[in-house]
């Protein structure tokens, strides 16, 4: 089954064709990130206008001239969470194609989508990865807007274990990057790069590891950002050292709580997803801890960690819920457990 997937929840306009939920046949992403850099954050109106500008060229490129949709069996689209104006652009493109081609339309939760980046077969050295994740699994979803731990019994059977009570992990990275003068917008990658320049972390253990010892699966990162602010004001330490200690603190908490969930729920598999799963330290440590416990660990390639439509196509295939065109609406505040 070939699914044409459309993702437009925020500042990326993305389309892809995914075969049987696992094989990426075509993948195009356009981003309006550069426009938001100037304002230091996404202006929803600007993001929506850029979605409108990009959607047809991106669709054209991914379809490679197939205007009839003859090779497409269904259309998947992100319906939430995200910015209303941005979501609506993708949704109306999907509705129009569904109507024109008389093909089914499948709504997808963007958060569930991130997890399905792990079901796309990796083509490595011309060899296709031979196996897919097995259940039960624990998923750590770490993005700009979410930090969630989810127990997955099977496709479509999710149990929410816990999540952030305030800032998401990505948000904490971005706000701290701004505070340290590293970057005004989406500074997570640059903060991490700065952290890697630190050869000797003289601040080791000085920042809090919020909620690490609490017997739950919740997180809190806003206090960490405040602690960084205070540390900079009082001591003015080298930026790379603060960045390193900050990254260590976030990763310590994420890894510790994730592994606690893995143990408690006897998970066979650990799945990582969301933009922050591009973080090298998080990737290495999650992999190491999984090896120690003898469980399989799946981490998407960096190109599939940030927003794209490939994982939307995969999530649609494995959680297939066909809807009438009229039933498809934007749901900006959709949670991971919410039904359509
Ligand atoms: O999943 P995503 O692309 O967008 C949302 O759906 O939110 O995640 C974006 C987030 C941003 O906060 C960005 O700074 C963060 O992921 N991020 C990183 C890294 N790469 C992206 N954070 C830390 N280290 C990275 N290497
Ligand atoms: Zn995302």
């Amino acid at each position: 089954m070939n699914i044409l997937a459309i993702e437009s929840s925020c500042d990326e306009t993305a389309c892809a064709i995914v075969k049987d939920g696992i094989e990426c046949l075509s993948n195009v992403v356009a981003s309006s990130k550069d426009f938001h850099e100037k304002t230091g954050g996404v202006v929803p109106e600007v993001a929506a206008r850029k979605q409108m500008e990009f959607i047809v060229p991106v669709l054209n490129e991914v379809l490679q001239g197939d205007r009839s949709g003859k090779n497409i069996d269904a259309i998947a689209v992100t319906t939430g969470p995200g910015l209303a104006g941005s979501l609506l652009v993708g949704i109306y493109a999907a509705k129009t194609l569904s109507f024109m081609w008389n093909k089914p339309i499948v709504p997808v939760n963007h958060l569930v989508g991130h997890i399905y980046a792990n079901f796309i077969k990796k083509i490595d050295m011309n060899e296709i990865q031979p196996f897919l994740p097995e259940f039960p699994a624990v998923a750590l979803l770490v993005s700009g807007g979410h930090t969630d731990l989810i127990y997955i019994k099977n496709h479509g059977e999710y149990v929410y274990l816990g999540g952030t009570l305030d800032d998401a992990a990505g948000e904490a990275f971005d706000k701290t990057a701004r505070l340290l003068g590293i970057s005004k917008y989406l500074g997570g990658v640059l903060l991490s790069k700065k952290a890697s320049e630190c050869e000797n972390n003289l601040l080791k253990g000085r920042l809090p590891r919020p909620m690490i010892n609490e017997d739950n699966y919740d997180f809190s990162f806003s206090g960490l950002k405040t602690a960084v602010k205070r540390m900079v004001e009082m001591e003015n330490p080298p930026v790379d050292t603060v960045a390193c200690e900050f990254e260590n603190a976030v990763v310590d908490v994420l890894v510790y709580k994730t592994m606690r969930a893995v143990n408690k729920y006897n998970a066979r598999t650990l799945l990582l997803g969301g933009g922050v799963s591009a973080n090298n330290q998080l990737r290495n440590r999650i992999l190491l801890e999984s090896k120690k416990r003898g469980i399989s660990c799946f981490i998407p390639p960096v190109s599939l960690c940030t927003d794209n439509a490939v994982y939307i196509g995969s999530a649609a295939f494995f959680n297939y819920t066909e809807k009438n065109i009229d039933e498809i609406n934007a749901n900006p505040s959709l949670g991971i457990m919410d039904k359509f």
Side-chain angles (χ1 to χ4, degrees):
M1 175 186 235
N2 287 347
I3 296 186
L4 168 67
I6 302 176
E7 151 66 40
S8 71
S9 62
C10 188
D11 54 351
E12 264 91 27
T13 313
C15 297
I17 301 174
V18 181
K19 186 179 174 191
D20 297 335
I22 57 173
E23 202 179 328
C24 172
L25 301 182
S26 179
N27 174 24
V28 179
V29 183
S31 178
S32 59
K33 185 175 177 278
D34 293 350
F35 295 88
H36 309 301
E37 219 143 13
K38 292 174 201 150
T39 39
V42 179
V43 178
E45 177 68 18
V46 175
R49 281 168 189 260
K50 287 289 158 193
Q51 292 286 355
M52 284 169 65
E53 193 180 320
F54 294 158
I55 190 75
V56 172
V58 170
L59 266 170
N60 247 333
E61 196 177 332
V62 96
L63 289 168
Q64 291 167 354
D66 174 18
R67 291 283 184 93
S68 66
K70 63 179 187 301
N71 298 320
I72 304 296
D73 300 297
I75 298 153
V77 65
T78 302
T79 56
L83 302 170
S86 289
L87 286 166
L88 283 169
V89 175
I91 289 172
Y92 275 86
K95 284 191 186 209
T96 309
L97 291 175
S98 164
F99 181 76
M100 273 168 43
W101 294 343
N102 195 22
K103 306 275 170 156
I105 186 163
V106 183
V108 176
N109 182 324
H110 179 86
L111 304 174
V112 173
H114 268 300
I115 295 167
Y116 277 83
N118 292 298
F119 285 78
I120 303 297
K121 284 192 172 181
K122 290 178 191 136
I123 301 172
D124 195 10
M125 310 284 282
N126 296 327
E127 270 181 49
I128 293 182
Q129 181 181 294
F131 58 91
L132 290 176
E134 289 177 328
F135 300 111
V138 161
L140 172 66
L141 172 63
V142 267
S143 71
H146 289 81
T147 303
D148 294 321
L149 266 173
I150 302 124
Y151 172 58
I152 308 181
K153 290 186 199 164
N154 209 331
H155 295 294
E157 292 179 47
Y158 311 113
V159 179
Y160 179 78
L161 302 179
T164 185
L165 305 178
D166 41 59
D167 290 355
E171 193 180 353
F173 264 97
D174 296 341
K175 286 180 176 171
T176 306
R178 181 192 283 248
L179 197 115
L180 294 176
I182 295 172
S183 168
K184 276 210 297 187
Y185 178 60
L186 292 186
V189 190
L190 293 177
L191 186 148
S192 182
K193 193 165 168 277
K194 191 49 101 185
S196 68
E197 289 166 15
C198 168
E199 284 171 3
N200 182 13
N201 179 8
L202 295 169
L203 297 169
K204 196 172 173 161
R206 289 275 312 282
L207 286 174
R209 270 62 177 163
M211 299 183 79
I212 198 163
N213 291 318
E214 288 189 22
D215 191 16
N216 56 35
Y217 303 103
D218 289 330
F219 303 92
S220 165
F221 293 114
S222 70
L224 199 48
K225 177 192 63 201
T226 316
V228 169
K229 187 164 185 275
R230 207 173 311 122
M231 181 180 264
V232 170
E233 279 165 5
M234 309 270 286
E235 305 170 37
N236 197 22
V239 172
D240 61 346
T241 315
V242 193
C244 173
E245 173 61 5
F246 170 81
E247 182 175 62
N248 288 349
V250 174
V251 175
D252 278 355
V253 182
L254 290 174
V255 172
Y256 189 86
K257 289 213 140 167
T258 303
M259 289 306 161
R260 177 191 281 169
V262 163
N263 290 343
K264 169 86 193 234
Y265 289 89
N266 275 324
R268 294 175 71 169
T269 306
L270 174 56
L271 304 170
L272 201 59
V276 183
S277 48
N279 182 274
N280 273 332
Q281 193 189 152
L282 179 63
R283 294 169 83 88
N284 294 338
R285 287 181 54 192
I286 283 277
L287 208 56
L288 190 74
E289 292 300 320
S290 301
K291 269 194 190 142
K292 277 193 210 159
R293 286 164 177 80
I295 61 160
S296 39
C297 175
F298 286 77
I299 303 175
V302 170
S303 61
L304 295 186
C305 288
T306 44
D307 290 349
N308 65 84
V310 183
Y311 59 61
I312 300 299
S314 176
F317 179 84
F318 289 110
N319 300 265
Y320 199 89
T321 10
E322 221 175 285
K323 293 270 181 193
N324 277 328
I325 286 187
D326 296 347
E327 291 174 303
I328 306 278
N329 287 309
N331 193 342
S333 49
L334 195 72
I336 191 142
M337 297 300 295
D338 293 338
K339 296 273 173 247
F340 294 105

